[in-house]
Amino acid sequence: MSESRETDAIKNDLESLRKDLRELAESVRASGEKRAHDGLDEVRHKYADLRTHYDKRSREVGAEIEARPFTSVFAAFGIGLLLGKLLGR
């Protein structure tokens, strides 16, 4: 009889261990999903910030070109010449 009780105790312990491992795996999965969602939210916020900054700078450059069109054309031409010389073309 004691052997039967020991076998039952081992079976109960194994079942308890399986349950604990399932709960641990679920907890790890949920934690990973939360971290992934948090990271994605952070990336979205940074993208929105960069987009706002880019739009602002784009408007500023556009306004500068409109204010000084000839200077802008000559500057672009000069930069093009310089890059052409540097690249050997």
Side-chain angles (χ1 to χ4, degrees), residues 27-40:
S27 176
V28 167
R29 184 193 62 76
S31 175
E33 285 180 357
K34 182 182 180 334
R35 290 177 66 189
H37 286 288
D38 291 348
L40 185 59

PDB file of all heavy atoms in Angstrom, residues 27-40:
ATOM      1  N   SER A  27       2.765  33.105 -18.482  1.00  0.00           N
ATOM      2  CA  SER A  27       3.238  34.374 -17.932  1.00  0.00           C
ATOM      3  C   SER A  27       4.362  34.962 -18.787  1.00  0.00           C
ATOM      4  O   SER A  27       4.381  36.161 -19.071  1.00  0.00           O
ATOM      5  CB  SER A  27       3.720  34.167 -16.498  1.00  0.00           C
ATOM      6  OG  SER A  27       4.259  35.349 -15.973  1.00  0.00           O
ATOM      7  N   VAL A  28       5.299  34.121 -19.198  1.00  0.00           N
ATOM      8  CA  VAL A  28       6.409  34.574 -20.046  1.00  0.00           C
ATOM      9  C   VAL A  28       5.871  35.067 -21.388  1.00  0.00           C
ATOM     10  O   VAL A  28       6.276  36.105 -21.904  1.00  0.00           O
ATOM     11  CB  VAL A  28       7.445  33.441 -20.241  1.00  0.00           C
ATOM     12  CG1 VAL A  28       8.424  33.772 -21.339  1.00  0.00           C
ATOM     13  CG2 VAL A  28       8.169  33.169 -18.929  1.00  0.00           C
ATOM     14  N   ARG A  29       4.922  34.343 -21.975  1.00  0.00           N
ATOM     15  CA  ARG A  29       4.329  34.740 -23.247  1.00  0.00           C
ATOM     16  C   ARG A  29       3.624  36.085 -23.122  1.00  0.00           C
ATOM     17  O   ARG A  29       3.809  36.989 -23.943  1.00  0.00           O
ATOM     18  CB  ARG A  29       3.337  33.685 -23.740  1.00  0.00           C
ATOM     19  CG  ARG A  29       2.767  34.002 -25.129  1.00  0.00           C
ATOM     20  CD  ARG A  29       1.567  33.136 -25.469  1.00  0.00           C
ATOM     21  NE  ARG A  29       0.448  33.314 -24.566  1.00  0.00           N
ATOM     22  CZ  ARG A  29      -0.389  34.358 -24.569  1.00  0.00           C
ATOM     23  NH1 ARG A  29      -0.214  35.334 -25.410  1.00  0.00           N
ATOM     24  NH2 ARG A  29      -1.376  34.426 -23.715  1.00  0.00           N
ATOM     25  N   ALA A  30       2.832  36.248 -22.080  1.00  0.00           N
ATOM     26  CA  ALA A  30       2.096  37.498 -21.877  1.00  0.00           C
ATOM     27  C   ALA A  30       3.063  38.664 -21.657  1.00  0.00           C
ATOM     28  O   ALA A  30       2.859  39.759 -22.186  1.00  0.00           O
ATOM     29  CB  ALA A  30       1.145  37.360 -20.698  1.00  0.00           C
ATOM     30  N   SER A  31       4.110  38.410 -20.896  1.00  0.00           N
ATOM     31  CA  SER A  31       5.109  39.454 -20.649  1.00  0.00           C
ATOM     32  C   SER A  31       5.807  39.848 -21.954  1.00  0.00           C
ATOM     33  O   SER A  31       6.022  41.031 -22.219  1.00  0.00           O
ATOM     34  CB  SER A  31       6.129  38.959 -19.633  1.00  0.00           C
ATOM     35  OG  SER A  31       7.154  39.910 -19.462  1.00  0.00           O
ATOM     36  N   GLY A  32       6.143  38.871 -22.763  1.00  0.00           N
ATOM     37  CA  GLY A  32       6.783  39.154 -24.047  1.00  0.00           C
ATOM     38  C   GLY A  32       5.878  39.942 -24.975  1.00  0.00           C
ATOM     39  O   GLY A  32       6.319  40.867 -25.653  1.00  0.00           O
ATOM     40  N   GLU A  33       4.597  39.580 -25.007  1.00  0.00           N
ATOM     41  CA  GLU A  33       3.653  40.313 -25.841  1.00  0.00           C
ATOM     42  C   GLU A  33       3.514  41.757 -25.377  1.00  0.00           C
ATOM     43  O   GLU A  33       3.473  42.673 -26.187  1.00  0.00           O
ATOM     44  CB  GLU A  33       2.282  39.630 -25.818  1.00  0.00           C
ATOM     45  CG  GLU A  33       2.216  38.371 -26.641  1.00  0.00           C
ATOM     46  CD  GLU A  33       0.838  37.713 -26.593  1.00  0.00           C
ATOM     47  OE1 GLU A  33      -0.051  38.210 -25.866  1.00  0.00           O
ATOM     48  OE2 GLU A  33       0.668  36.699 -27.288  1.00  0.00           O
ATOM     49  N   LYS A  34       3.467  41.955 -24.067  1.00  0.00           N
ATOM     50  CA  LYS A  34       3.340  43.319 -23.539  1.00  0.00           C
ATOM     51  C   LYS A  34       4.565  44.137 -23.902  1.00  0.00           C
ATOM     52  O   LYS A  34       4.444  45.286 -24.334  1.00  0.00           O
ATOM     53  CB  LYS A  34       3.146  43.302 -22.028  1.00  0.00           C
ATOM     54  CG  LYS A  34       2.961  44.700 -21.461  1.00  0.00           C
ATOM     55  CD  LYS A  34       2.805  44.688 -19.965  1.00  0.00           C
ATOM     56  CE  LYS A  34       2.624  46.045 -19.345  1.00  0.00           C
ATOM     57  NZ  LYS A  34       3.147  47.193 -20.013  1.00  0.00           N
ATOM     58  N   ARG A  35       5.748  43.557 -23.756  1.00  0.00           N
ATOM     59  CA  ARG A  35       6.974  44.277 -24.098  1.00  0.00           C
ATOM     60  C   ARG A  35       7.010  44.600 -25.589  1.00  0.00           C
ATOM     61  O   ARG A  35       7.444  45.683 -25.986  1.00  0.00           O
ATOM     62  CB  ARG A  35       8.194  43.464 -23.694  1.00  0.00           C
ATOM     63  CG  ARG A  35       8.351  43.394 -22.172  1.00  0.00           C
ATOM     64  CD  ARG A  35       9.493  42.540 -21.745  1.00  0.00           C
ATOM     65  NE  ARG A  35      10.747  43.136 -22.163  1.00  0.00           N
ATOM     66  CZ  ARG A  35      11.910  42.532 -22.085  1.00  0.00           C
ATOM     67  NH1 ARG A  35      11.977  41.311 -21.591  1.00  0.00           N
ATOM     68  NH2 ARG A  35      13.008  43.128 -22.473  1.00  0.00           N
ATOM     69  N   ALA A  36       6.546  43.675 -26.415  1.00  0.00           N
ATOM     70  CA  ALA A  36       6.518  43.919 -27.860  1.00  0.00           C
ATOM     71  C   ALA A  36       5.557  45.055 -28.190  1.00  0.00           C
ATOM     72  O   ALA A  36       5.882  45.937 -28.998  1.00  0.00           O
ATOM     73  CB  ALA A  36       6.120  42.644 -28.600  1.00  0.00           C
ATOM     74  N   HIS A  37       4.378  45.045 -27.569  1.00  0.00           N
ATOM     75  CA  HIS A  37       3.415  46.123 -27.813  1.00  0.00           C
ATOM     76  C   HIS A  37       3.948  47.462 -27.312  1.00  0.00           C
ATOM     77  O   HIS A  37       3.782  48.486 -27.989  1.00  0.00           O
ATOM     78  CB  HIS A  37       2.071  45.804 -27.137  1.00  0.00           C
ATOM     79  CG  HIS A  37       1.289  44.752 -27.831  1.00  0.00           C
ATOM     80  ND1 HIS A  37       0.661  44.957 -29.040  1.00  0.00           N
ATOM     81  CD2 HIS A  37       1.042  43.466 -27.507  1.00  0.00           C
ATOM     82  CE1 HIS A  37       0.061  43.851 -29.424  1.00  0.00           C
ATOM     83  NE2 HIS A  37       0.281  42.924 -28.509  1.00  0.00           N
ATOM     84  N   ASP A  38       4.587  47.460 -26.153  1.00  0.00           N
ATOM     85  CA  ASP A  38       5.168  48.695 -25.622  1.00  0.00           C
ATOM     86  C   ASP A  38       6.246  49.222 -26.566  1.00  0.00           C
ATOM     87  O   ASP A  38       6.327  50.428 -26.830  1.00  0.00           O
ATOM     88  CB  ASP A  38       5.756  48.468 -24.229  1.00  0.00           C
ATOM     89  CG  ASP A  38       4.687  48.216 -23.169  1.00  0.00           C
ATOM     90  OD1 ASP A  38       3.488  48.447 -23.465  1.00  0.00           O
ATOM     91  OD2 ASP A  38       5.056  47.781 -22.056  1.00  0.00           O
ATOM     92  N   GLY A  39       7.086  48.326 -27.066  1.00  0.00           N
ATOM     93  CA  GLY A  39       8.139  48.734 -28.002  1.00  0.00           C
ATOM     94  C   GLY A  39       7.553  49.285 -29.288  1.00  0.00           C
ATOM     95  O   GLY A  39       8.037  50.285 -29.823  1.00  0.00           O
ATOM     96  N   LEU A  40       6.503  48.665 -29.785  1.00  0.00           N
ATOM     97  CA  LEU A  40       5.850  49.132 -31.003  1.00  0.00           C
ATOM     98  C   LEU A  40       5.234  50.509 -30.788  1.00  0.00           C
ATOM     99  O   LEU A  40       5.340  51.386 -31.652  1.00  0.00           O
ATOM    100  CB  LEU A  40       4.787  48.129 -31.440  1.00  0.00           C
ATOM    101  CG  LEU A  40       4.094  48.409 -32.765  1.00  0.00           C
ATOM    102  CD1 LEU A  40       5.111  48.471 -33.901  1.00  0.00           C
ATOM    103  CD2 LEU A  40       3.069  47.325 -33.046  1.00  0.00           C
TER     104      LEU A  40
END
